[in-house]
Amino acid sequence: MATTFTLRGFGFARSAKTEPVTTEKPLVRWSLIAVAVLFLGVFLFMPLAVVFASALAKGFSVYISALREPDALAAIKLTLLAAGIAVPMNLIFGVAAAWAIGKFEFFGKSFLVTLIDLPFSVSPVVSGLIYVLIFGLQGVLGPWFAAHDIKIIFAVPGIVLATVFVTFPFVARELIPLVQAQGNEEEEAALSLGANGWRTFFRVTLPNIKWGLLYGVILCNARAMGEFGAVSVVSGHIRGRTNTMPLHIEILYNEYRFAPAFAVASLLALLALVTLVVKSVVEGKSEEHEAELRVERIPEPIVVGPEVNAA
Amino acid sequence: MSIETIDISKRFGQFKALDSVDLEIPSGELVALLGPSGSGKTTLLRIIAGLEFADSGAVRFDGKDISDRSARERQVGFVFQHYALFRHMTVFENIAFGLKVRPRLHRPSRAQIRAKVQELLKLIQLETLADRYPSQLSGGQRQRVALARALAVEPSVLLLDEPFGALDAQVRLELRRWLRQLHDEIHITSVFVTHDQEEALEVADRVVVMNNGRIEQVGSPDEVYNHPASPFVYNFLGNVNLFHGRIDGEKTYIHERETGHVVYVRPHLLEIDRQPNGGSHFRARIKHINSAGPLVKVEAVAEWGDPVHIEMSQERFQGLQLIKNESVFVIPKDVKVFQSNEAVKAK
């Protein structure tokens, strides 16, 4: 009690509200806020508004027909397929990687972490080229696949592979710090209580990382659907067959068909908005979860001793 | 169940955590592993639990070698230093966990689990908090839930890692008495790790004093406190004054300079008087008096310049009416002498 009192005397307790010591003059404050708002307006809100405005510029029927066009439908399907494969795969990879890195010490651990980060640091175009060099006709494994009549480059498998590669770090990156921070104690407790590995994972580890995992999956999905560079290199742009949504948009745009291009683009923009909403909900949830863990302990007089004998 | 460790060694990289440790814990005893941080006590406990594996040596339960068994198969109850409660489960679910994860064949029915958890909740006196989450509990409450969770699986051995380390002094004191009482009731072989000598001496049947990955002494609290086997044990179990000294026949001499021997005297075994009273004594000047608490602590400077700590009862202090800077006679009532090279090792 005495400590709290002294601290308050020095003004620490006020920091919960606005702290006059760290506040600038009104002029500085308002100009900083104006710069931030202007920046956000020009670089975020305006483009977003333009996408939807251009999409609907020629009327709602044009918008709808642009989306119902067979090529557009094929592109949407392919995008959903690629994301539908890439996201679950990276979910499993990510959890496994985070588990290994966060819970164990082993030789080459930092190398593995670097490897997981690789897709972030490599340009997506290079990522795509890697697959062309491996699976392309002139590539390392290409002739073998060609001989067995398996098409990877300029076909759906190549697109899925490129998407998996580019979105690989999202789940792992999100989970590693979380798993590391949580340590091993709860798992050890579960083990000493007789739980086996799978049970420990599903009943102890997974519930502790679920919000972080969901957050990683959301980001991973957004990127999987929006990926352009790597997919562009391996796709071959065959309309109705190997075009994903971003590629389809590019083709429409290059053909000066702005309204349909923006119509499809609006779907991706919509996805981004939905992602943002879900993300903020999840973030709120996980913060709540964190806060729950940090709740001040409830002081309560402990009655121990004589009662034990009575019991 | 009795526990035996035979020639256990463990390294972490360059650091030798345990150096051929032999220990025998008879069935039903409450034993404290006592030592400073880095002495290997927690590592030894984790090796007994199967959470860590020794580089060499064996662990036996009731004479049976279980060194290769995993923590899951050893059926030990382990209470972690920071409780390690499952944060997303309620108190009830935490305690029930060990029963729920049993293979279907050995799993008790829902009603049996409920009854068992209720019984344990009653034992730890938290019946009303069954639906709370760990984050909503105080430290002492969490500790008791962790204990109940470990006991739920009816372990043959209970292991506790610094069970009271993270609690404030008041709660600590109550909880360790409670643990003692609990042990008197259920008689499960229990080992707890602590760095607090007072805790070890008060709670345990036997104290294992550890230092630098080795066992220094094993004995009852009375034995280790009153008959320390090494200077380290003497030093670690309570405050002590160190003087240069020499043994000459039957007599012990305190010297001003390095002599090859070190004399250990506990502060309460030094008496202050205004007369020399004939026996062995030395002169000292009183520097500081702290009379708050059950014992009065006096800091003095010996005639040759070394600081001396003395403790006396309030009654004695009242009788003497000591004042600061007064010159008095200090009379050692009991001393212990060790070779200096041993003493240096202990430091």
Side-chain angles (χ1 to χ4, degrees), chain B residues 231-305:
Chain B
F232 173 82
V233 176
Y234 201 104
N235 225 337
F236 196 69
L237 296 179
N239 297 323
V240 69
N241 289 295
L242 302 181
F243 305 115
H244 299 304
R246 172 169 65 91
I247 305 175
D248 192 3
E250 296 285 281
K251 284 185 173 171
T252 303
Y253 295 91
I254 290 175
H255 273 260
E256 294 175 23
R257 277 186 304 273
E258 189 72 41
T259 51
H261 283 83
V262 178
V263 178
Y264 286 67
V265 198
R266 295 225 188 272
H268 70 269
L269 295 174
L270 287 172
E271 209 160 70
I272 291 182
D273 214 328
R274 291 212 170 80
Q275 268 76 49
N277 286 349
S280 63
H281 62 268
F282 58 84
R283 283 172 175 278
R285 183 190 293 279
I286 294 176
K287 274 284 176 202
H288 184 76
I289 301 170
N290 174 10
S291 58
L295 288 174
V296 179
K297 297 178 177 108
V298 177
E299 281 174 41
V301 179
E303 51 193 307
W304 60 90

Side-chain angles (χ1 to χ4, degrees), chain A residues 4 15 30 32 37 44 49 64 93 98 111 119 137 152 169 189 204 207 229 237 241 260 271 278 281 299:
Chain A
T4 336
S15 59
W30 286 109
L32 283 173
V37 168
L44 279 174
I64 291 295
F93 289 156
F111 179 68
L137 269 181
I152 291 186
V204 176
H237 303 267
R241 285 182 46 202
L271 168 78
V278 177
V281 170

Side-chain angles (χ1 to χ4, degrees), chain B residues 60 77 86 103 133 146 166 169 174 209 217 236-237 298 318 324:
Chain B
R60 288 189 192 155
F86 306 126
Y133 284 90
E174 285 170 23
V209 186
Q217 189 177 6
F236 196 69
L237 296 179
V298 177
Q318 299 297 339
K324 230 172 140 177

Side-chain angles (χ1 to χ4, degrees), chain A:
Chain A
M1 270 300 126
T3 355
T4 336
F5 188 75
T6 2
L7 285 180
R8 191 160 291 159
F10 283 104
F12 281 93
R14 265 182 296 173
S15 59
K17 291 183 198 162
T18 40
E19 182 54 77
V21 178
T22 57
T23 305
E24 299 295 337
K25 285 180 196 142
L27 182 68
V28 181
R29 257 190 295 163
W30 286 109
S31 42
L32 283 173
I33 291 171
V35 168
V37 168
L38 198 72
F39 186 86
L40 283 176
V42 172
F43 287 93
L44 279 174
F45 297 123
M46 236 163 64
L48 203 58
V50 166
V51 169
F52 286 101
S54 313
L56 295 164
K58 294 202 175 151
F60 198 64
S61 57
V62 177
Y63 180 81
I64 291 295
S65 65
L67 297 182
R68 293 179 64 181
E69 194 188 326
D71 288 351
L73 281 178
I76 293 169
K77 263 191 212 156
L78 184 58
T79 296
L80 290 178
L81 176 75
I85 295 172
V87 173
M89 276 178 87
N90 282 334
L91 182 134
I92 295 168
F93 289 156
V95 172
W99 170 272
I101 290 165
K103 306 267 184 200
F104 299 96
E105 288 302 322
F106 53 88
F107 178 75
K109 183 162 141 176
S110 55
F111 179 68
L112 183 63
V113 175
T114 316
L115 216 58
I116 289 171
D117 276 343
L118 190 69
F120 272 167
S121 49
V122 169
S123 153
V125 177
V126 176
S127 311
L129 271 176
I130 296 169
Y131 285 101
V132 173
L133 291 175
I134 296 173
F135 297 112
L137 269 181
Q138 271 77 47
V140 185
L141 299 175
W144 187 87
F145 279 106
H148 290 80
D149 212 19
I150 301 168
K151 271 189 81 84
I152 291 186
I153 297 305
F154 307 138
V156 177
I159 291 168
V160 172
L161 273 177
T163 310
V164 169
F165 181 80
V166 172
T167 58
F168 186 73
F170 284 93
V171 175
R173 266 284 135 201
E174 193 58 46
L175 289 185
I176 289 168
L178 193 64
V179 172
Q180 269 171 341
Q182 286 176 348
N184 280 346
E185 273 208 337
E186 284 185 47
E187 279 78 10
E188 285 183 342
L191 281 182
S192 75
L193 289 168
N196 63 26
W198 286 111
R199 263 181 193 278
T200 304
F201 176 73
F202 282 110
R203 301 195 57 166
V204 176
T205 310
L206 201 57
N208 279 343
I209 60 169
K210 63 181 175 203
W211 293 114
L213 182 62
L214 191 56
Y215 187 39
V217 164
I218 290 165
L219 288 180
C220 181
N221 183 58
R223 181 65 192 269
M225 291 195 173
E227 174 53 27
F228 180 84
V231 169
S232 173
V233 176
V234 295
S235 123
H237 303 267
I238 308 164
R239 240 183 249 207
R241 285 182 46 202
T242 64
N243 259 357
T244 61
M245 282 165 77
L247 302 182
H248 184 64
I249 294 165
E250 192 212 13
I251 290 179
L252 290 174
Y253 187 82
N254 287 345
E255 290 170 348
Y256 303 104
R257 294 169 59 197
F258 296 130
F262 279 109
V264 181
S266 73
L267 283 186
L268 281 178
L270 216 57
L271 168 78
L273 290 179
V274 170
T275 304
L276 280 179
V277 171
V278 177
K279 176 178 159 275
S280 63
V281 170
V282 169
E283 258 179 355
K285 278 275 179 201
S286 60
E287 257 161 40
E288 230 170 72
H289 186 66
E290 293 277 307
E292 219 169 75
L293 302 179
R294 267 187 267 112
V295 174
E296 266 303 285
R297 67 193 175 93
I298 299 156
E300 194 173 319
I302 292 191
V303 205
V304 285
E307 277 84 350
V308 181
N309 287 334

Side-chain angles (χ1 to χ4, degrees), chain B residues 140-151:
Chain B
Q141 290 168 338
R142 284 181 211 175
Q143 183 58 277
R144 283 184 283 158
V145 174
L147 201 61
R149 184 179 68 176
L151 290 173

